[in-house]
Protein backbone atom coordinates (compact mmCIF):
# COMPACT_ATOMS: atom_id res chain seq x y z
CA UNK A 1 0.00 0.00 0.00
CA UNK A 2 2.82 2.40 0.86
CA UNK A 3 4.54 1.62 -2.42
CA UNK A 4 1.36 2.29 -4.43
CA UNK A 5 0.91 5.59 -2.64
CA UNK A 6 4.54 6.51 -3.29
CA UNK A 7 4.19 5.92 -7.02
CA UNK A 8 1.50 8.60 -7.15
CA UNK A 9 4.11 11.10 -5.97
CA UNK A 10 6.81 9.96 -8.40
CA UNK A 11 6.09 10.51 -12.10
CA UNK A 12 7.73 7.96 -14.41
CA UNK A 13 7.59 7.42 -18.16
CA UNK A 14 7.50 4.06 -19.88
CA UNK A 15 10.46 4.83 -22.11
CA UNK A 16 13.56 4.18 -20.05
CA UNK A 17 15.74 6.20 -22.42
CA UNK A 18 13.70 9.36 -21.86
CA UNK A 19 12.86 8.70 -18.26
CA UNK A 20 13.02 11.55 -15.79
CA UNK A 21 13.84 10.27 -12.34
CA UNK A 22 12.05 12.56 -9.91
CA UNK A 23 11.03 12.19 -6.29
CA UNK A 24 8.47 14.60 -4.91
CA UNK A 25 10.00 16.37 -1.91
CA UNK A 26 6.65 16.22 -0.12
CA UNK A 27 7.64 12.62 0.65
CA UNK A 28 10.26 13.97 3.05
CA UNK A 29 7.41 14.47 5.51
CA UNK A 30 6.81 10.69 5.56
CA UNK A 31 10.25 9.05 5.72
CA UNK A 32 8.99 5.45 5.62
CA UNK A 33 7.05 6.05 2.42
CA UNK A 34 9.97 8.00 0.98
CA UNK A 35 12.39 5.15 1.68
CA UNK A 36 10.00 2.62 0.19
CA UNK A 37 10.00 4.59 -3.04
CA UNK A 38 13.76 5.14 -2.96
CA UNK A 39 14.32 1.42 -2.48
CA UNK A 40 12.05 0.70 -5.47
CA UNK A 41 14.06 3.09 -7.62
CA UNK A 42 17.39 1.62 -6.49
CA UNK A 43 16.13 -1.87 -7.40
CA UNK A 44 15.29 -0.58 -10.87
CA UNK A 45 18.71 1.08 -11.02
CA UNK A 46 20.29 -2.27 -10.14
CA UNK A 47 18.29 -4.06 -12.86
CA UNK A 48 19.41 -1.57 -15.52
CA UNK A 49 23.03 -1.80 -14.33
CA UNK A 50 23.07 -5.61 -14.43
CA UNK A 51 21.54 -5.73 -17.91
CA UNK A 52 23.97 -3.10 -19.26
CA UNK A 53 26.97 -4.91 -17.81
CA UNK A 54 25.98 -8.24 -19.34
CA UNK A 55 25.37 -6.51 -22.67
CA UNK A 56 28.88 -5.07 -22.52
CA UNK A 57 30.37 -8.52 -21.95
CA UNK A 58 28.50 -9.95 -24.94
CA UNK A 59 30.13 -7.31 -27.16
CA UNK A 60 33.54 -8.88 -26.61
CA UNK A 61 32.44 -11.80 -28.78
CA UNK A 62 29.80 -10.19 -31.01
CA UNK A 63 30.32 -6.44 -31.32
CA UNK A 64 27.63 -4.23 -32.78
CA UNK A 65 27.14 -0.47 -32.60
CA UNK A 66 23.49 -0.66 -31.51
CA UNK A 67 24.25 -2.69 -28.37
CA UNK A 68 27.26 -0.49 -27.57
CA UNK A 69 25.07 2.62 -27.74
CA UNK A 70 22.46 0.93 -25.57
CA UNK A 71 25.07 0.36 -22.84
CA UNK A 72 26.16 4.00 -23.01
CA UNK A 73 22.56 5.24 -22.73
CA UNK A 74 21.99 2.96 -19.75
CA UNK A 75 25.09 4.38 -18.06
CA UNK A 76 23.78 7.93 -18.50
CA UNK A 77 20.44 6.88 -17.05
CA UNK A 78 22.20 5.29 -14.08
CA UNK A 79 24.01 8.59 -13.50
CA UNK A 80 20.60 10.30 -13.27
CA UNK A 81 19.39 7.72 -10.78
CA UNK A 82 22.46 8.25 -8.59
CA UNK A 83 22.17 12.04 -8.70
CA UNK A 84 18.44 12.12 -7.94
CA UNK A 85 18.53 9.45 -5.24
CA UNK A 86 21.71 10.77 -3.66
CA UNK A 87 20.29 14.30 -3.40
CA UNK A 88 16.98 13.11 -1.97
CA UNK A 89 18.51 10.68 0.53
CA UNK A 90 20.94 13.34 1.74
CA UNK A 91 18.02 15.67 2.42
CA UNK A 92 16.13 12.87 4.15
CA UNK A 93 19.08 12.26 6.48
CA UNK A 94 18.60 15.73 7.95
CA UNK A 95 15.09 14.77 9.14
CA UNK A 96 14.22 12.90 12.28
CA UNK A 97 13.88 9.24 11.29
CA UNK A 98 13.87 5.90 13.08
CA UNK A 99 17.00 3.81 13.53
CA UNK A 100 15.79 1.21 11.03
CA UNK A 101 15.01 3.91 8.46
CA UNK A 102 18.40 5.46 9.09
CA UNK A 103 20.14 2.14 8.39
CA UNK A 104 18.17 1.64 5.17
CA UNK A 105 18.95 5.18 4.06
CA UNK A 106 22.67 4.60 4.69
CA UNK A 107 22.60 1.34 2.72
CA UNK A 108 20.86 2.97 -0.23
CA UNK A 109 23.26 5.92 -0.26
CA UNK A 110 26.22 3.55 -0.39
CA UNK A 111 24.94 1.04 -2.95
CA UNK A 112 23.85 3.63 -5.52
CA UNK A 113 27.49 4.67 -5.79
CA UNK A 114 28.57 1.08 -6.39
CA UNK A 115 25.89 0.45 -9.02
CA UNK A 116 26.93 3.66 -10.78
CA UNK A 117 30.58 2.58 -10.81
CA UNK A 118 29.64 -0.86 -12.16
CA UNK A 119 27.86 0.87 -15.05
CA UNK A 120 31.04 2.90 -15.66
CA UNK A 121 33.02 -0.33 -15.93
CA UNK A 122 30.43 -1.61 -18.41
CA UNK A 123 31.20 1.37 -20.65
CA UNK A 124 34.94 0.73 -20.25
CA UNK A 125 34.40 -2.86 -21.41
CA UNK A 126 32.48 -1.54 -24.43
CA UNK A 127 35.48 0.66 -25.25
CA UNK A 128 37.77 -2.37 -25.07
CA UNK A 129 35.44 -4.29 -27.39
CA UNK A 130 35.52 -1.34 -29.81
CA UNK A 131 39.30 -1.24 -29.71
CA UNK A 132 39.53 -4.95 -30.49
CA UNK A 133 37.23 -4.44 -33.48
CA UNK A 134 38.62 -1.17 -34.84
CA UNK A 135 42.26 -2.21 -34.59
CA UNK A 136 41.50 -5.75 -35.74
CA UNK A 137 43.19 -7.19 -32.65
CA UNK A 138 42.85 -10.92 -32.15
CA UNK A 139 43.32 -12.46 -28.73
CA UNK A 140 44.90 -15.90 -28.72
CA UNK A 141 42.68 -18.93 -28.18
CA UNK A 142 44.17 -19.41 -24.69
CA UNK A 143 43.53 -15.75 -23.84
CA UNK A 144 39.91 -16.04 -24.95
CA UNK A 145 39.38 -19.13 -22.80
CA UNK A 146 40.99 -17.45 -19.81
CA UNK A 147 38.93 -14.30 -20.30
CA UNK A 148 35.70 -16.28 -20.41
CA UNK A 149 36.76 -18.00 -17.20
CA UNK A 150 37.02 -14.77 -15.21
CA UNK A 151 33.92 -13.37 -16.95
CA UNK A 152 31.94 -16.37 -15.66
CA UNK A 153 33.13 -15.62 -12.12
CA UNK A 154 32.26 -11.92 -12.43
CA UNK A 155 28.81 -12.71 -13.81
CA UNK A 156 28.21 -14.95 -10.81
CA UNK A 157 29.27 -12.31 -8.30
CA UNK A 158 27.08 -9.74 -10.08
CA UNK A 159 24.08 -12.06 -9.85
CA UNK A 160 24.80 -12.78 -6.19
CA UNK A 161 25.12 -9.10 -5.27
CA UNK A 162 21.94 -8.23 -7.17
CA UNK A 163 20.00 -11.05 -5.49
CA UNK A 164 21.40 -10.18 -2.07
CA UNK A 165 20.39 -6.55 -2.46
CA UNK A 166 16.87 -6.87 -3.86
CA UNK A 167 15.97 -9.60 -1.34
CA UNK A 168 18.01 -8.15 1.54
CA UNK A 169 19.48 -11.65 1.68
CA UNK A 170 22.15 -11.92 4.36
CA UNK A 171 23.10 -15.52 3.52
CA UNK A 172 23.69 -14.69 -0.14
CA UNK A 173 25.66 -11.59 0.83
CA UNK A 174 27.97 -13.77 2.93
CA UNK A 175 28.98 -15.73 -0.20
CA UNK A 176 30.28 -12.71 -2.06
CA UNK A 177 33.49 -11.78 -0.26
CA UNK A 178 35.08 -15.26 -0.75
CA UNK A 179 34.28 -15.12 -4.48
CA UNK A 180 35.70 -11.61 -4.70
CA UNK A 181 39.00 -12.92 -3.32
CA UNK A 182 39.03 -15.71 -5.91
CA UNK A 183 38.48 -13.13 -8.66
CA UNK A 184 41.40 -11.06 -7.33
CA UNK A 185 43.61 -14.13 -7.59
CA UNK A 186 42.29 -15.01 -11.04
CA UNK A 187 43.25 -11.55 -12.25
CA UNK A 188 46.84 -11.95 -11.04
CA UNK A 189 47.08 -15.45 -12.51
CA UNK A 190 45.81 -14.29 -15.90
CA UNK A 191 48.28 -11.41 -15.92
CA UNK A 192 51.08 -13.91 -15.38
CA UNK A 193 49.73 -16.03 -18.24
CA UNK A 194 49.79 -12.99 -20.51
CA UNK A 195 53.40 -12.19 -19.61
CA UNK A 196 54.39 -15.73 -20.55
CA UNK A 197 52.66 -15.38 -23.92
CA UNK A 198 54.47 -12.09 -24.52
CA UNK A 199 57.81 -13.70 -23.71
CA UNK A 200 57.06 -16.49 -26.19
CA UNK A 201 56.00 -14.03 -28.88
CA UNK A 202 52.46 -15.44 -28.92
CA UNK A 203 50.78 -12.13 -28.13
CA UNK A 204 51.22 -8.52 -29.22
CA UNK A 205 51.84 -5.53 -26.97
CA UNK A 206 48.68 -3.89 -28.37
CA UNK A 207 46.55 -6.88 -27.42
CA UNK A 208 48.20 -6.82 -24.02
CA UNK A 209 46.96 -3.29 -23.31
CA UNK A 210 43.36 -4.30 -24.03
CA UNK A 211 43.81 -7.48 -21.99
CA UNK A 212 45.09 -5.51 -19.00
CA UNK A 213 42.19 -3.01 -19.22
CA UNK A 214 39.64 -5.82 -19.33
CA UNK A 215 41.12 -7.59 -16.31
CA UNK A 216 41.19 -4.34 -14.35
CA UNK A 217 37.55 -3.55 -15.09
CA UNK A 218 36.39 -7.07 -14.29
CA UNK A 219 38.27 -7.15 -10.98
CA UNK A 220 37.07 -3.69 -9.95
CA UNK A 221 33.50 -4.71 -10.72
CA UNK A 222 33.87 -7.53 -8.21
CA UNK A 223 35.15 -4.99 -5.66
CA UNK A 224 31.91 -3.02 -5.99
CA UNK A 225 29.90 -6.23 -5.63
CA UNK A 226 31.79 -6.84 -2.41
CA UNK A 227 30.90 -3.34 -1.21
CA UNK A 228 27.21 -4.02 -1.86
CA UNK A 229 27.40 -7.28 0.07
CA UNK A 230 29.13 -5.62 3.01
CA UNK A 231 26.38 -2.96 3.14
CA UNK A 232 23.79 -5.70 3.54
CA UNK A 233 25.86 -7.49 6.17
CA UNK A 234 26.54 -4.25 8.04
CA UNK A 235 22.85 -3.32 8.13
CA UNK A 236 21.90 -6.78 9.39
CA UNK A 237 24.47 -6.54 12.17
CA UNK A 238 23.67 -2.86 12.91
CA UNK A 239 27.24 -1.89 12.09
CA UNK A 240 27.91 0.39 9.08
CA UNK A 241 31.68 -0.13 9.14
CA UNK A 242 32.84 -1.93 5.98
CA UNK A 243 36.40 -2.34 7.19
CA UNK A 244 35.35 -4.01 10.42
CA UNK A 245 32.87 -6.28 8.65
CA UNK A 246 35.43 -7.31 6.07
CA UNK A 247 37.91 -8.26 8.77
CA UNK A 248 35.23 -10.13 10.69
CA UNK A 249 34.27 -12.14 7.61
CA UNK A 250 37.84 -13.31 7.09
CA UNK A 251 38.17 -14.19 10.75
CA UNK A 252 35.14 -16.45 10.44
CA UNK A 253 37.43 -19.20 9.19
CA UNK A 254 34.89 -21.95 8.90
CA UNK A 255 32.46 -20.06 6.69
CA UNK A 256 34.89 -17.92 4.69
CA UNK A 257 37.43 -20.67 4.00
CA UNK A 258 34.78 -23.19 2.98
CA UNK A 259 33.19 -20.75 0.56
CA UNK A 260 36.57 -19.64 -0.73
CA UNK A 261 37.71 -23.17 -1.57
CA UNK A 262 34.41 -23.98 -3.25
CA UNK A 263 34.83 -21.02 -5.58
CA UNK A 264 38.55 -21.67 -6.06
CA UNK A 265 37.71 -25.21 -7.17
CA UNK A 266 34.89 -24.03 -9.42
CA UNK A 267 37.07 -21.48 -11.20
CA UNK A 268 40.35 -23.39 -11.25
CA UNK A 269 42.12 -23.99 -14.58
CA UNK A 270 42.05 -27.76 -14.43
CA UNK A 271 42.20 -29.58 -17.77
Amino acid sequence: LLEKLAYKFVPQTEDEKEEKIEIDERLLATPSIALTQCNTLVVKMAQITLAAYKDSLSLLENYNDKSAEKVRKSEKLIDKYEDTLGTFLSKLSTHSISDSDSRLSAVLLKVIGDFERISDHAVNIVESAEELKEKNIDLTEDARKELQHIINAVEEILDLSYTAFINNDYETAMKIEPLEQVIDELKEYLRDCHILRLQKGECTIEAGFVWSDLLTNLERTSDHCSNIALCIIDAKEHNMNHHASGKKLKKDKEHFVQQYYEYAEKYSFKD
Side-chain angles (χ1 to χ4, degrees), residues 89-100:
L89 288 167
S90 295
K91 289 180 180 178
L92 185 62
S93 67
T94 65
H95 288 63
S96 178
I97 58 178
S98 68
D99 288 344
S100 60

Side-chain angles (χ1 to χ4, degrees), residues 29-174:
T30 51
S32 294
I33 297 176
L35 283 168
T36 296
Q37 182 56 25
C38 287
N39 189 70
T40 298
L41 291 177
V42 179
V43 168
K44 189 171 183 183
M45 180 185 185
Q47 291 169 341
I48 298 168
T49 301
L50 193 67
Y53 198 94
K54 292 191 174 183
D55 284 344
S56 74
L57 294 175
S58 69
L59 291 171
L60 293 171
E61 286 293 331
N62 299 294
Y63 180 84
N64 67 84
D65 291 330
K66 186 176 180 180
S67 293
E69 182 60 22
K70 181 182 175 184
V71 173
R72 287 192 168 96
K73 286 182 177 180
S74 292
E75 188 272 335
K76 289 178 182 177
L77 181 58
I78 291 301
D79 284 348
K80 292 179 182 177
Y81 269 93
E82 184 194 25
D83 183 57
T84 300
L85 285 161
T87 300
F88 185 85
L89 288 167
S90 295
K91 289 180 180 178
L92 185 62
S93 67
T94 65
H95 288 63
S96 178
I97 58 178
S98 68
D99 288 344
S100 60
D101 283 348
S102 179
R103 286 193 296 273
L104 176 56
S105 179
V107 167
L108 295 179
L109 267 172
K110 290 183 179 182
V111 300
I112 60 174
D114 287 300
F115 285 126
E116 190 277 330
R117 289 297 295 130
I118 290 171
S119 74
D120 287 344
H121 290 303
V123 171
N124 292 344
I125 291 169
V126 169
E127 291 173 351
S128 291
E130 287 172 339
E131 188 172 355
L132 289 171
K133 180 179 180 289
E134 291 168 2
K135 295 182 179 178
N136 199 26
I137 299 171
D138 287 323
L139 297 177
T140 66
E141 183 178 350
D142 284 344
R144 287 184 179 277
K145 288 179 179 178
E146 291 164 5
L147 184 61
Q148 189 57 53
H149 212 69
I150 192 169
I151 283 174
N152 291 343
V154 171
E155 285 186 324
E156 179 168 3
I157 202 171
L158 277 166
D159 288 337
L160 286 171
S161 61
Y162 172 76
T163 299
F165 171 69
I166 65 169
N167 296 325
N168 192 27
D169 188 337
Y170 180 82
E171 295 302 320
T172 298
M174 291 290 285

Side-chain angles (χ1 to χ4, degrees), residues 196-228:
L196 288 174
R197 283 192 290 271
L198 275 176
Q199 291 173 341
K200 294 177 181 178
E202 297 173 354
C203 183
T204 66
I205 295 292
E206 206 163 35
F209 288 138
V210 179
W211 176 257
S212 180
D213 288 343
L214 285 169
L215 291 185
T216 296
N217 281 292
L218 290 165
E219 187 271 330
R220 287 181 181 170
T221 297
S222 75
D223 289 342
H224 291 293
C225 290
S226 174
N227 290 344
I228 293 166

